[in-house]
Amino acid sequence: MGTEVNAELEHVRSYWANMKSNSPIYNFLLEDIEIISATKGQIRAHLKVLPIHFNSKKTLHGVVSSCIMDWAGGMAIASTGLDNTGLSTDIHTTFVSTAKEGDLLEIESKASKVGASLAFTTIEIRHAGDKEKVVAHGTHTKYIKR
């Protein structure tokens, strides 16, 4: 995609590669996610909706959106340079619309604060190329041990 690779992007991609190999659920649901950019405290990623992401209506299952919230919050924290993104204490997902097979989702996650023991993130999942077409948004709080 012609994305400039910076230190944050390298770190987040490396962190994700390690995490993915140790997490069966992430490896299954998010195997094809692509981290396209990272700056300190923020990441953007793409995920193409596949049949493994479906609910019974053949649209994006809410559990996939919630899994993305969990994953993306951790990746935003990793973009600050941490090698351990902690334990989830709270994840909140608001489902706004849905997506169908073949849709390309853009995930944007921001770490609003990474403190001594807690980190707070906000996440938005939307259709790539259309910032107005939000699929879900949420927050993720993690306990981090420094």
Side-chain angles (χ1 to χ4, degrees):
M1 295 197 84
T3 302
E4 182 181 325
V5 178
N6 57 24
E8 291 89 355
L9 184 55
E10 281 185 20
H11 179 72
V12 172
R13 284 179 174 168
S14 173
Y15 184 82
W16 168 231
N18 183 55
M19 177 190 277
K20 182 178 169 182
S21 68
N22 292 307
S23 175
I25 192 68
Y26 282 161
N27 196 38
F28 177 68
L29 288 176
L30 304 178
E31 178 183 15
D32 297 324
I33 204 160
E34 179 188 6
I35 302 166
I36 59 171
S37 70
T39 56
K40 186 173 182 171
Q42 182 172 336
I43 65 105
R44 283 184 34 241
H46 282 161
L47 178 67
K48 187 174 183 178
V49 177
L50 302 172
I52 64 166
H53 301 131
F54 288 174
N55 58 24
S56 63
K57 307 281 190 249
K58 297 196 179 203
T59 60
L60 186 66
H61 198 294
V63 78
V64 176
S65 295
S66 294
C67 181
I68 291 169
M69 295 293 167
D70 184 26
W71 174 84
M75 294 300 108
I77 295 165
S79 74
T80 68
L82 294 183
D83 290 321
N84 182 345
T85 63
L87 304 169
S88 298
T89 62
D90 183 65
I91 300 174
H92 180 81
T93 305
T94 300
F95 305 102
V96 179
S97 68
T98 194
K100 62 186 185 321
E101 184 173 4
D103 287 350
L104 183 63
L105 300 178
E106 181 168 286
I107 299 109
E108 186 169 3
S109 181
K110 297 177 184 177
S112 48
K113 180 177 180 178
V114 179
S117 60
L118 290 175
F120 302 89
T121 65
T122 58
I123 303 98
E124 185 173 86
I125 304 168
R126 61 183 169 261
H127 290 266
D130 188 350
K131 287 190 175 239
E132 302 301 314
K133 203 165 180 188
V134 175
V135 173
H137 59 83
T139 58
H140 186 193
T141 305
K142 296 189 85 170
Y143 169 75
I144 53 175
K145 184 179 178 181
R146 291 193 189 220

